[in-house]
Amino acid sequence: MTTHDAPSVFGAVRLGYLVIETNRFADWRRFGTDAIGMHHDALSRDLMRFRLDDQECRFLIRRGPAEDVVATGWHLDDHATFERIEARIRAHGVPLTVGTDEEAALRGVERLLRFPGPKGITQEICTTPAKSAEPLRMLASGFVTGDAGMGHLALTSTKPAETRRYFHTVFDARLTDYIDETISGVKLKIRFLRVNERHHSVAIAATRSGLPIDPIRTRVQHLNIQAATLDDVAQSYQRVHELGFDMALSVGQHTNDKELSYYARTPSGFEWEVGWNPVVIDETTWEPTTHQGISIWGHLPVGQTIIGKLAQFQAGARSLGRPESTVPSLSGAGAGSAPFRR
């Protein structure tokens, strides 16, 4: 069975929440509330959540050693979409775990199912996000979420074709465009995948050196949230600086989605992009293209040192001996074998 034996789920899927594991709770609370400007809810000594809107949970922060994103939560339009995706996963022989009532409640959802994903990031699908009656307490004026989801995440991969096939097989993800870029002498190709009208919900970056090198320690290279106003971007940028958090890239504008943004470094080490006003895809006219370079202007490295570059080189060298998980049943040549939809 391929993903095209059943109706497409494209457009009925959106990035709903992320689960982050860290032991740096105090730093994460300051980063999320005082720097980025999100609403914070303390649940226990080992659990807290951040909100962007009226939904109970957009980021679930749990205590643990990973210092990374450990799960991606996808909100689905309805139970029919949930069951369609569940049937796909089962048909490919991939193990599924039904979330407990407690796990669903922590994520603020009604129905929860999890299964393995690329790079060891658990994928979770869910229905009926719960709304909170508690007014938002946050420094930002708001964030753009809605039917297109809450933003995107970016991965580095030594197996980009397989990773792309995974998201196509599971969610009917479509290719939006490519970017070719050279950073510190390393040639990269970045694939941008969408599951709805948002320009991309997943970006996959891979080296073009011929060597299977992954220079990033964390499973996720960065995640993105979309600010409601340009003032929100500027003010949070200033707060990140004033509070002493590391800035990875200065304010700039991307070539492909035209989003204006900056990248801060989280207490766990991966990057956090705050952006504004990306393009929205019109499915009737969009054609994938390749852009040269990530940015039209800006996005300059901040505080990059020789020691930092050496650490990145060492991480890449270590990745040669660490096979990357792609869940072959969902990402192999036989998975989603019909041609990729635009």
Side-chain angles (χ1 to χ4, degrees), residues 50-90:
F50 293 121
R51 287 172 54 199
L52 302 175
D53 53 15
D54 62 352
Q55 293 190 13
E56 284 187 351
C57 178
R58 290 298 188 174
F59 297 95
L60 175 62
I61 315 295
R62 73 186 190 202
R63 198 174 297 276
E67 299 301 342
D68 209 342
V69 172
V70 294
T72 305
W74 301 92
H75 289 162
L76 309 179
D77 271 359
D78 48 43
H79 293 288
T81 303
F82 185 100
E83 286 154 13
R84 193 169 295 143
I85 294 174
E86 179 182 5
R88 291 181 182 183
I89 306 303
R90 292 191 188 281

Side-chain angles (χ1 to χ4, degrees), residues 238-288:
Q238 182 175 349
R239 292 193 301 264
V240 168
H241 271 297
E242 289 176 347
L243 291 168
F245 290 104
D246 290 341
M247 190 68 68
L249 298 176
S250 65
V251 174
Q253 187 176 25
H254 287 301
T255 52
N256 58 345
D257 66 1
K258 304 300 187 287
E259 187 170 28
L260 187 146
S261 68
Y262 70 87
Y263 294 74
R265 190 165 286 109
T266 68
S268 293
F270 58 86
E271 295 173 15
W272 187 296
E273 182 185 19
V274 178
W276 172 74
N277 200 33
V279 301
V280 176
I281 299 297
D282 180 348
E283 294 296 332
T284 65
T285 60
W286 190 265
E287 293 289 340

Side-chain angles (χ1 to χ4, degrees), residues 113-267:
L113 195 67
R114 75 168 65 87
F115 47 93
K119 298 198 72 171
I121 304 171
T122 299
Q123 302 298 301
E124 301 180 349
I125 57 172
C126 57
T127 60
T128 323
K131 303 295 178 69
S132 175
E134 183 182 354
L136 287 165
R137 305 181 309 275
M138 59 188 191
L139 297 177
S141 70
F143 295 94
V144 178
T145 54
D147 289 342
M150 69 172 201
H152 67 252
L153 70 161
L155 318 172
T156 52
S157 177
T158 60
K159 300 178 179 179
E162 290 91 333
T163 304
R164 178 184 167 188
R165 268 198 298 269
Y166 178 97
F167 288 105
H168 175 71
T169 301
V170 177
F171 298 124
D172 293 314
R174 299 179 183 179
L175 174 69
T176 301
D177 48 32
Y178 296 101
I179 286 179
D180 288 338
E181 178 64 283
T182 301
I183 300 176
S184 300
V186 178
K187 292 183 178 181
L188 299 173
K189 179 172 281 289
I190 311 171
R191 296 157 169 83
F192 295 83
L193 308 181
R194 68 187 187 277
V195 294
N196 53 49
E197 67 178 4
R198 186 178 285 278
H199 179 275
H200 61 285
S201 292
V202 178
I204 307 162
T207 64
R208 303 179 66 190
S209 63
L211 285 175
I213 290 176
D214 184 348
I216 306 299
R217 176 195 66 80
T218 52
R219 300 164 186 167
V220 166
Q221 189 275 327
H222 80 261
L223 58 85
N224 161 285
I225 55 175
Q226 185 180 337
T229 70
L230 184 55
D231 280 348
D232 284 323
V233 175
Q235 290 167 15
S236 64
Y237 183 83
Q238 182 175 349
R239 292 193 301 264
V240 168
H241 271 297
E242 289 176 347
L243 291 168
F245 290 104
D246 290 341
M247 190 68 68
L249 298 176
S250 65
V251 174
Q253 187 176 25
H254 287 301
T255 52
N256 58 345
D257 66 1
K258 304 300 187 287
E259 187 170 28
L260 187 146
S261 68
Y262 70 87
Y263 294 74
R265 190 165 286 109
T266 68

